[in-house]
């Protein structure tokens, strides 16, 4: 029989700012080529996780058009099938983030 005590480690993680779970439609385009719908599933001041109908590649740059905000340039930091994590080239303002998080 084993007995153990543990204390969970407290970490701040790799994130620069907290993420808010959301679910809203947006659109995206790459290099001025076309527009396609996507869904934003979480967002922070510095980035977003999106689900799209087209595969994205790590390292690519997209224009993500957010409701009430407009187009935002973002770099694809990771991609797995039709889900991707994007880092905004310029962080959102706190006001813009709050508007999107309340949707």
């Amino acid at each position: 029989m084993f007995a153990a005590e543990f204390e969970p480690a407290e970490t701040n993680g790799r994130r620069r700012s907290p993420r808010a779970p959301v679910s809203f439609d947006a659109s995206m385009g790459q290099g001025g080529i076309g527009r396609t719908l996507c869904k934003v599933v979480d967002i922070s001041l510095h980035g977003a996780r999106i689900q799209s109908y087209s595969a994205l590649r790590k390292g690519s740059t997209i224009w993500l058009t957010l409701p009430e905000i407009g187009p935002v340039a973002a770099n694809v930091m990771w991609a797995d099938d039709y889900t991707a994590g994007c880092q905004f080239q310029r962080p959102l303002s706190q006001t813009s983030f709050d508007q999107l998080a309340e949707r």
Side-chain angles (χ1 to χ4, degrees):
M1 180 166 160
F2 287 98
E5 291 183 29
F6 74 96
E7 202 171 303
E10 292 184 27
T11 62
N12 291 336
R14 300 180 322 187
R15 309 250 177 251
R16 290 186 275 177
S17 57
R19 293 189 290 175
V22 294
S23 180
F24 58 81
D25 293 330
S27 64
M28 64 175 194
Q30 290 181 297
I33 301 172
R35 281 270 195 247
T36 184
L37 291 177
C38 64
K39 182 173 286 287
V40 178
V41 295
D42 72 33
I43 196 159
S44 74
L45 293 171
H46 295 94
R49 181 167 38 125
I50 60 173
Q51 295 175 339
S52 69
Y53 296 103
S54 57
L56 294 171
R57 288 187 333 212
K58 178 181 176 180
S60 61
T61 299
I62 62 169
W63 284 96
L64 185 61
T65 303
L66 300 170
E68 303 173 28
I69 307 299
V72 176
N75 300 319
V76 178
M77 303 306 290
W78 61 267
D80 183 17
D81 292 326
Y82 299 102
T83 302
C86 302
Q87 180 179 13
F88 301 140
Q89 290 184 355
R90 291 185 186 194
L92 297 176
S93 69
Q94 186 65 50
T95 302
S96 295
F97 170 74
D98 291 341
Q99 287 176 336
L100 293 171
E102 290 174 4
R103 290 183 67 88

